[in-house]
Each structure stands twice: as structure tokens, then as C-alpha cells.
Amino acid sequence: MKSKKTSVDRRGFFKNAAAGAAALATTGPIAKAQREGPGTSPAPAGGAPAPTPQQLARDAGNVRPPANVRAITRAGSDLMVQALRDLGIEYAAANPGSTFEGIQESIINYGNPPNQTPEFITALHEESAVAMAHGYGKAEGKPMLALLHGTIGIQHASMAIYNAYYDRAPVLMIAGNDRGDIPSHTAADMAAMVRSFTKWDAQPKTLDEALVAINRAYNEAITPPTAPTLVVMDSELQKMNAPGAKLPQYKPPQFTTVDPSRTKEIAKGLVDAQNPRIAVGRLRTPQGVKLAVELAELVGASTSTTAANGPMSFPQRHPLCGPGAETAYDYTLGLGTGGAQASIIPPDLPTIVAQRDVMNVGFGGLDGNGGGRGARGAPTAPPIQADAEASLPAIIEEVKRQLTADKKARIQDRSAKHADANQQAHVKAVREAVEAKKYGWNGSPISTARVYAELWPLIMNEDWCLSSPTGFSGGHNVQLWDHNRPYSCLGGQGAGGMGYGAPASVGAALAAKNRGRIVINIQCDGDLNYAPGVLWTAVHHQLPMLTVMHNNRAWHQEFMYVVYMAGVRGRGTNRAHIGSTLRDPFIDYTKMAAGYGMAGEGPISDPTLLAAALKRGVDSVKRGEPYMIDTITQPR
Ligand SMILES: Cc1ncc(C[n+]2csc(CCOP(=O)(O)OP(=O)(O)O)c2C)c(N)n1
């Protein structure tokens, strides 16, 4: 029998949607699944209705838009992209998904020039897209966008959202919703699945609401507690023709600030103290860091910092940073000292959801007496429920009002003494650290201390950002490097979810790219293997990211736990490597990088070869070309 020929054009499209759908219904993948019987059927009895031929055709990519859709003069998604542009969103990272095809098309084609603010960043996994936004958010103190495919993209992204939430990083997310076109990519309440670890979400019903929601989501993301926010964007709103629609006026958020009487009290405390102290944790933006420096200098207070462990803190080598000349402090002010984990998640997990909406204040806030740490460990004043950064201008003004000539003279004298003492303390600490880090200097596998020590002279005169968590590679940057910029060190994963370091480094490199900055990523091997595709993203977008593998050929943290467990049970540790090491075969990371188009070298286990390799790596990223050095390292 002669089979009926389906009408297909030269590019392989069916000549019309009905023909394509009909053909697929009998020959396409779903028909095949139905023929193959139970276990492969997409529509179990009593479950979701079987997809229509139109849905099947669309799912298989065999539909061209009807003529009326092509007559769009001003797409709803053009306005959405304009709203993002007006907010200064630099990048939109996404793994493509048809639920946001309207927005994707607008990003890449709308505007002059198109594909800028935001630029479309191609991600190979949604978790990577959000983790990139997480790294970017910490480096810049403002959000970039992650675009997520309806339902399935959000599920892939969820761990990265959780990390960012725990880490109070500002992240903006838009997820597409196809309103029934593909049932499995649609949901009545799509944000529900990540609601317990997003700060705010909306599912707007009209274009006007959608544009307002973008502005609101941005504001919620940057308002303490800074955190990921999500707008679920109906695909019809993206595709609709909206020639007359207008963008709503954007209003920046109002931050809760310290009230005037407390402001006076704080200023008096700092100005009248014989030896004031300022403890700086994480502020919101580089502007907050600047203001903290201004305040410390005005009152001559010695300060503490978290700059070697996380972003947006006091410059580590500022003359006032350190214990100071005298460590009996008679007034201590804490700025953003709450700490991510202490503040955002109550210790008992079930309360996360319940507390989500009442945490808007008292976060990243200002402590009346030093972040819960009194001078002699005494209980301290409860935290003031306000944003530290937004409160600083008024405190600075009040301090200026209260300063008299004699107080200024005393402050000048005190500042000089602090600077002297801090410098001596710093030199002593570095000397001691250098001595300590000589242990195992010539060992192979290479000592983690040597990796940090050999990198430092190569980057110390550059504008650099240490993007990766450092705890698993010894954290030697704390003693050996100078963290003087708000983005010098981006710190940990937030919620401890592995698979963060590599994509967050790509996000940091996006922030660095047009700012003359380079990114150093000391990359744990286990962490890289969750989402190695980000290496391709770094190459594709020519990001200045140096990846130095901390290749201990294990999930060493877990290996140590198993060693301990076997030890306490008296069963010996010779089988502890099962399930917690990356052996047999060893993974070849330079080959992996090469597969994604990234230049690199290694594996290097001879420490005498390290410095020259690192130099080649730094030179490469200074040219804007990412590079990987696979170093075989000590476990810790
Ligand atoms: C998503 C996720 N899965 C599993 C873990 C458990 N875990 C904690 S540390 C760790 C090992 C990480 O290995 P690697 O990144 O190579 O660092 P290393 O400890 O070897 O230095 C694992 C698997 C986790 N934290 N997150």
C-alpha cells in the first residue's frame, strides 16, 4: 500500500500546523510511546488528559506562528524587557524554555542595541543560572535575572534558590507559564514549589500587573532581608500585542532606618567613648561599605570585618581595621552583624515558611552594642530593627554635629595609635602565617597553602575577586591576601549546597567582565561535577575567570565523616573511600575544560611547576580568556 506523504517544507517544517499535528499523532514520539504500551504512555488512565495534536506538534517544534502573531508591533515582552533595562539588570541567565520564548526573543532582538541590559547568558542548567545570579548578586549587591522554564526549570533551579535565600543574596527570577499549552509546564500556583525559600512571588494576570510585578520583585530582592524573588510570567502576556501599554513609574524601596532619637544616642555613644569599636558584618552594597569607612574614620573607631569570608564588609587592611591600640572598648556598634544563617532561617526548619513574611526588618541591621558580643561577653542590647546601610547617612550627619574641636583632636590621636597597632598586628600575623604555611611546602600532592601563597603576588596589584568558597581549600586567603574591596571574597554557598562554586564564579565573572576585574575560582573537584557545563558558559561569554582546581580526588568532607564513622565503630578505615572518593578513573579536568572550549593545563602535582602555570593562567584571564589549572592538592 502506498503511504500518504506528509507535506514538509525545505527546512523540515510541516507546511501547516494541522498537517504536522496529524503526522505526529500517528508517527511522532507520543504515538510511539502509546504503541509501546504501559510504562511509556504519557497519559495514564485517570490522569491528565492526553495532549491534543496541537500540543504535540508544538512540543515537537513543528509549529510556525500563525500570521496574526507575526503582526506584533509592540510585544508585551518588549515592555517587560524595557522594565528590566530601566532597572539596570545587566544579565539574564537561562537555559532556553518555550514558556519564556517571548521574553527571550525580546531580550535578544528588542532595543537599540539589542541583547544588552540585560544580555542573554546561556546556561546549561537552571541551577547554574540561579547560582550565577547568586554570585553576581553578592559581588555587586544588586540582582541579575535568572529566567526559568515553567515547572521543570524551577525544579532544577530549586537548590540554587535555597542557597541564595539562605545567603540573603538579591536574585531576580522570572518563570514562564504556558497556561495550558503544554500541561506539564503549567501550574495554577507555580511559585508554590519554591515559596518556602523565596522572599516574594507573584503570578500577574494582566500586562500592567506584570510590569508592576517586575518592579516590585526587584525592590523586594534588594530590601533587607535581601533574597531571591520570583515572578511567574504568563506566556500570553509575553506574546500579546500591546502598542498602547505604558511602563509604570518605578519607585525605589523605602528602607527602614533608625529613628532620630536612637540616631542621636548612637552618635553620642561613638563620639563620647574613649575607645569606640565598630563591628562590621555584611552590608548591602558597596555604598554601605563606603559609609562604614566614613563613620569609622570620623570617630576613630577600630573595626572588625568579615571581608576575608564574605562580601560587602569593611576593608581588611584599612588602618582602623584590627584590634586597635587598646582592646577594652567602652562603646561598640554593630553594622549588619546578624550573619546570614543566624538571621534568615530560624533553627527549627518548619518555621521557615511561617516566618517568611515577617522578616522584613531587623535583618542586616544595626546592633546597639556589637552584634550580641559585649565587651566582656556580657549580654548586649537587642538588635535595632533597621537597615544599617540606610541608617548610616543620618548617623554620620549626627556625629558631625556632635564633634567638637577637642574631640576631633582626641580622635586623630587615637586613629594614629590604632593604625600603628593594627599595622604591627598585621605584619606579625602574616609572618606567623607564612612560617606555618611552609609545612609541606614542597609536598606532593601540592599543599593548599602553597596554591594561595603562589597566587597572591600574581594578583595583588590587580582588581580581583575571590569568588569560590575557601573553607575546603584551607581558607589561606584570610591570612595571606588583602581583602579591601566589597567583592574581594564572596564567601560560602549559603545553605551548604554543593554545585555552587563553579556557577557562582561565572556570575562573579559576569560582574567582573566590563569592570576590569579578574575572578579567582579555587574550585573543589566534587563541586565542579554537579554542573560542569558552566565552563562552556564562561568560554562562550569570554569571562575573566581563572579556575584553579583543588583536586583532592574526593568529596573529602564526606570521606572524613565516613572515616570517623568507621573508626568509632571499630571497623577500620580502609574501605572508607567507597562512595566518597573520585578514583578509578581519575577525572581529567583539563580534558573536561577542553571539551567545553576552555584553555588550561595540568594535572600538576609537582609544586615547583605551580607558579609558572598560575602566571599563565592570570595572564590569560587578564586578556579576558578563562583558563583552568588542574592542581592535584592535599585533601585540605
Ligand atoms: C547538593 C549537596 N549534595 C551533597 C552534599 C554533601 N557534601 C558536603 S561536603 C561534600 C563534599 C564536597 O566535595 P568537594 O567539593 O570536592 O570538596 P572537598 O571536601 O573534597 O574539599 C558533599 C558531597 C552537599 N553539601 N550538597
Side-chain angles (χ1 to χ4, degrees):
M1 200 172 71
K2 215 171 150 195
S3 73
K4 204 171 154 204
K5 220 172 153 211
T6 309
S7 178
V8 176
D9 76 7
R10 268 181 301 144
R11 292 172 302 157
F13 281 112
F14 290 104
K15 282 213 170 126
N16 63 58
L24 275 162
T26 51
T27 62
I30 305 281
K32 179 170 176 276
Q34 282 166 344
R35 276 198 309 277
E36 284 169 5
T40 58
S41 168
T52 63
Q54 285 80 359
Q55 286 163 0
L56 297 177
R58 183 180 166 73
D59 225 1
N62 282 294
V63 174
R64 281 194 287 175
N68 64 342
V69 176
R70 280 187 245 136
I72 292 288
T73 54
R74 177 101 153 134
S77 55
D78 286 358
L79 284 126
M80 294 169 192
V81 168
Q82 188 61 51
L84 295 167
R85 187 164 294 166
D86 292 349
L87 290 168
I89 302 290
E90 288 191 294
Y91 300 107
N95 187 246
S98 60
T99 50
F100 59 81
E101 67 195 355
I103 295 179
Q104 178 169 353
E105 197 279 336
S106 290
I107 290 175
I108 61 179
N109 281 331
Y110 161 79
N112 188 16
N115 202 26
Q116 266 183 37
T117 328
E119 178 186 351
F120 197 92
I121 302 299
T122 315
L124 280 69
H125 194 297
E126 290 83 356
E127 187 178 288
S128 304
V130 173
M132 285 175 204
H134 183 176
Y136 176 96
K138 282 205 277 186
E140 287 304 303
K142 64 174 192 175
M144 67 174 254
L145 176 68
L147 275 168
L148 305 171
H149 198 16
T151 60
I152 46 181
I154 298 180
Q155 290 180 69
H156 255 184
S158 60
M159 190 209 73
I161 301 172
Y162 184 60
N163 263 345
Y165 180 78
Y166 219 95
D167 205 12
R168 60 178 158 112
V171 169
L172 180 59
M173 300 179 291
I174 293 179
N177 193 1
D178 245 344
R179 219 200 268 175
D181 208 3
I182 301 174
S184 59
H185 301 170
T186 305
D189 181 9
M190 194 178 290
M193 62 183 101
V194 291
R195 183 161 293 135
S196 57
F197 42 96
T198 41
K199 180 182 169 188
W200 183 88
D201 66 78
Q203 191 160 324
K205 299 261 183 311
T206 66
L207 182 59
D208 286 344
E209 279 177 25
L211 299 172
V212 168
I214 289 174
N215 286 348
R216 173 91 191 265
Y218 179 86
N219 279 0
E220 291 288 346
I222 64 168
T223 307
T226 52
T229 58
L230 172 64
V231 181
V232 177
M233 207 59 95
D234 191 304
S235 62
E236 291 307 316
L237 298 181
Q238 301 172 41
K239 291 177 200 167
M240 68 184 282
N241 197 19
K246 286 211 169 63
L247 285 163
Q249 185 160 13
Y250 171 71
K251 289 199 195 83
Q254 296 277 319
F255 298 112
T256 308
T257 53
V258 176
D259 67 62
S261 69
R262 286 306 271 283
T263 300
K264 278 201 182 105
E265 242 174 63
I266 290 166
K268 189 167 166 21
L270 289 167
V271 168
D272 288 353
Q274 295 303 306
N275 188 25
R277 175 81 165 164
I278 299 179
V280 184
R282 196 199 293 187
L283 297 161
R284 268 187 298 110
T285 73
Q287 177 61 13
V289 175
K290 236 190 213 166
L291 291 168
V293 170
E294 188 182 344
L295 180 64
E297 289 177 355
L298 263 181
V299 300
S302 68
T303 61
S304 65
T305 182
T306 54
N309 295 299
M312 304 295 163
S313 196
F314 203 83
Q316 190 188 16
R317 305 303 180 210
H318 185 285
L320 288 171
C321 193
E326 169 61 63
T327 53
Y329 312 114
D330 53 350
Y331 183 85
T332 304
L333 174 70
L335 300 173
T337 44
Q341 306 196 356
S343 304
I344 200 158
I345 305 282
D348 45 330
L349 212 60
T351 53
I352 296 172
V353 183
Q355 298 233 338
R356 183 177 91 93
D357 288 323
V358 295
M359 292 193 303
N360 246 327
V361 289
F363 186 78
L366 196 137
D367 291 341
N369 213 355
R373 294 186 298 274
R376 284 174 207 85
T380 61
I384 301 169
Q385 306 278 299
D387 176 47
E389 182 166 329
S391 302
L392 278 169
I395 295 171
I396 287 169
E397 279 319 300
E398 186 55 37
V399 162
K400 284 181 183 164
R401 256 195 294 279
Q402 292 186 23
L403 279 175
T404 55
D406 63 317
K407 282 175 181 163
K408 279 186 192 164
R410 204 175 65 213
I411 285 168
Q412 215 175 355
D413 180 53
R414 184 166 68 218
S415 300
K417 285 184 181 142
H418 281 331
D420 205 35
N422 287 338
Q423 169 68 6
Q424 284 176 31
H426 172 48
V427 170
K428 184 167 173 280
V430 172
R431 283 215 179 105
E432 284 170 7
V434 168
E435 274 313 305
K437 291 177 200 314
K438 282 183 187 161
Y439 291 107
W441 185 253
N442 293 316
S444 176
I446 298 171
S447 96
T448 52
R450 186 158 179 170
V451 173
Y452 284 89
E454 301 253 43
L455 259 170
W456 178 237
L458 300 171
I459 62 165
M460 58 186 278
N461 295 320
E462 306 295 334
D463 184 4
W464 54 269
C465 163
L466 176 57
S467 56
S468 46
T470 59
F472 288 175
S473 55
H476 305 284
N477 61 302
V478 177
Q479 302 106 346
L480 298 180
W481 297 13
D482 297 343
H483 306 81
N484 289 333
R485 295 201 160 99
Y487 47 80
S488 287
C489 179
L490 300 187
Q493 304 89 352
M498 297 294 127
Y500 157 90
S505 296
V506 169
L510 285 168
K513 186 180 177 184
N514 297 320
R515 295 181 170 89
R517 197 186 298 163
I518 59 170
V519 162
I520 308 297
N521 169 31
I522 313 276
Q523 177 64 55
C524 290
D525 53 342
D527 180 274
L528 179 64
N529 281 295
Y530 290 88
V534 296
L535 299 174
W536 182 87
T537 301
V539 177
H540 183 69
H541 293 286
Q542 297 174 296
L543 301 182
M545 177 178 86
L546 174 62
T547 295
V548 181
M549 293 303 299
H550 165 41
N551 184 2
N552 56 20
R553 292 172 164 166
W555 294 279
H556 190 74
Q557 189 60 42
E558 298 301 324
F559 174 72
M560 292 190 290
Y561 290 135
V562 177
V563 165
Y564 174 81
M565 188 53 54
V568 294
R569 290 175 178 178
R571 292 204 257 246
T573 58
N574 60 340
R575 292 162 59 79
H577 63 280
I578 297 172
S580 49
T581 53
L582 284 153
R583 315 172 178 169
D584 304 318
F586 292 139
I587 296 171
D588 188 330
Y589 292 99
T590 44
K591 272 201 184 138
M592 176 192 274
Y596 288 116
M598 186 179 285
E601 57 187 287
I604 297 174
S605 45
D606 177 351
T608 62
L609 302 178
L610 180 64
L614 293 173
K615 167 100 174 58
R616 284 187 287 276
V618 171
D619 287 347
S620 172
V621 294
K622 277 164 67 181
R623 292 192 303 270
E625 292 161 26
Y627 198 82
M628 176 194 277
I629 301 166
D630 181 12
T631 50
I632 308 301
T633 42
Q634 297 286 340
R636 280 285 178 271

